[in-house]
Amino acid sequence: MEVRQASYFLAIADHGTMGRAAEHLHLSQPALSQSIVAMEREIGAVLFERFARGMRLTAAGEALLQPARRLVDAAIRAKAAVDGIVDAPQGELHIAAMPALAAVPVSQWIARFRERYPQVAIHFGPFTGEEPVERLLDRGPAELVISHYENATPHSIRKIAAGVQDMVVAFPPDTVVPDDPLITVEQLAQYPLIVSPPQTSMRRVVERAFADAGQVLTVAVETQLMDSFASLVAAGAGSALLPLQNVEMLRDLGVTTRHLDVPITRTYSLFFRADRLSYAGQEFARMILPAKGN
């Protein structure tokens, strides 16, 4: 079994359908299907049961799962060892981050990394926190995850604090707000808020703050598109808790901001599996965590 075949096999096992796996691999569905059929012929066993709505591993496929992961992991480590000797990260680096961190700081980190290593292509995707971070890292292709994820992770997953995000309240233009630069949750409860869905970490933070103050949260808009929060506030759809790092842009849009009297801060961390990091992944981690290492 070749590394490429193992990668194809794992993509289908992890994504559950030929279509989603093909999209993930940037392959056509017929090409992926042909590759798996050839692999089954070579191994001499059917690896997947085919259903109208997806594919499921057979007993033979389950038996192949861990050997395939070990093969792909070994290939990643081998490539990282060679790149490390010549000190020239190559290929691709897959990064996932929570939407609230996408613009600041992750996009800034990516720009710095690309300036230093222009030969590495970055693939940047979202991590909403709806699944365990270890599952995202195990199924790949993401090597690095930047997230507010608070749940416990296995010992195989490294978690290193990367920074703190301060949150402020943003009000639509022309909204009547208290003159005091600080606002209480009791005062904030008078304004309908733009929020992320209940299963997201930011929604849990907001609901916890309201519950601690004995207040009821009024939802104006609920969306997973965190990047749209500032535009929604500026358009008058509602108020929102947003990162302090984006305040200048919000003021340019005519938005009024206030700090909460009981500050809401969120620590974000870098997650990775040390035994699966490519050399590009190692260098990215070193760049953003120079004092802590990786």
Side-chain angles (χ1 to χ4, degrees):
M1 179 174 57
E2 300 175 353
V3 175
R4 176 181 54 82
Q5 291 176 315
S7 298
Y8 291 178
F9 165 74
L10 290 173
I12 298 172
D14 291 335
H15 289 276
T17 71
M18 189 73 71
R20 286 198 294 267
E23 182 179 356
H24 166 74
L25 293 165
H26 305 291
L27 286 176
S28 69
Q29 191 167 327
L32 179 58
S33 179
Q34 291 171 13
S35 178
I36 293 300
V37 169
M39 183 179 175
E40 290 178 323
R41 189 182 304 118
E42 178 183 327
I43 291 175
V46 176
L47 301 174
F48 294 98
E49 294 180 82
R50 276 77 169 173
F51 299 94
R53 296 185 177 180
M55 302 174 71
R56 186 171 61 198
L57 289 169
T58 62
E62 291 282 358
L64 186 63
L65 199 57
Q66 290 309 312
R69 292 200 190 282
R70 287 195 293 269
L71 177 59
V72 172
D73 288 350
I76 291 173
R77 291 195 299 274
K79 183 66 166 59
V82 173
D83 285 346
I85 290 174
V86 299
D87 197 27
Q90 302 286 336
E92 301 178 340
L93 175 59
H94 292 258
I95 299 170
M98 282 192 159
L101 298 166
V104 180
V106 182
S107 292
Q108 298 168 337
W109 291 342
I110 289 174
R112 283 171 49 201
F113 184 84
R114 282 279 303 151
E115 183 178 1
R116 189 177 302 178
Y117 300 114
Q119 66 273 31
V120 178
I122 303 289
H123 296 267
F124 183 25
F127 173 61
T128 63
E130 295 180 30
E131 65 176 331
V133 69
E134 61 268 24
R135 173 166 171 76
L136 178 66
L137 289 169
D138 285 344
R139 67 176 169 82
E143 296 182 34
L144 300 168
V145 178
I146 299 100
S147 172
H148 298 293
Y149 191 75
E150 299 171 348
N151 294 355
T153 55
H155 292 302
S156 59
I157 304 298
R158 296 286 304 277
K159 175 184 178 181
I160 302 176
V164 176
Q165 196 174 54
D166 297 312
M167 309 301 291
V168 297
V169 184
F171 298 95
D174 302 322
T175 301
V176 178
V177 298
D179 292 332
D180 195 311
L182 299 180
I183 187 173
T184 67
V185 175
E186 288 80 5
Q187 291 171 313
L188 181 59
Q190 301 172 29
Y191 302 89
L193 294 184
I194 300 164
V195 294
S196 55
Q199 70 271 22
T200 60
S201 65
M202 187 59 211
R203 177 66 172 271
R204 290 194 292 269
V205 167
V206 174
E207 290 181 340
R208 190 182 307 134
F210 272 70
D212 289 346
Q215 300 297 310
V216 177
L217 170 66
T218 302
V219 175
V221 179
E222 180 180 288
T223 175
Q224 287 185 324
L225 305 174
M226 291 290 290
D227 288 345
S228 70
F229 275 33
S231 298
L232 287 167
V233 173
S239 303
L241 274 163
L242 293 171
L244 176 61
Q245 292 90 330
N246 298 334
V247 164
E248 291 305 319
M249 178 190 70
L250 298 177
R251 287 173 180 161
D252 291 343
L253 296 173
V255 168
T256 302
T257 59
R258 291 288 186 272
H259 290 265
L260 282 167
D261 65 335
V262 179
I264 292 180
T265 60
R266 307 179 72 201
T267 298
Y268 53 91
S269 302
L270 178 68
F271 297 84
F272 58 90
R273 282 188 52 179
D275 62 341
R276 292 195 62 183
L277 271 187
S278 65
Y279 187 55
Q282 294 172 27
E283 287 302 295
F284 192 95
R286 289 191 188 102
M287 182 191 72
I288 66 174
L289 302 169
K292 300 182 178 68
N294 67 337

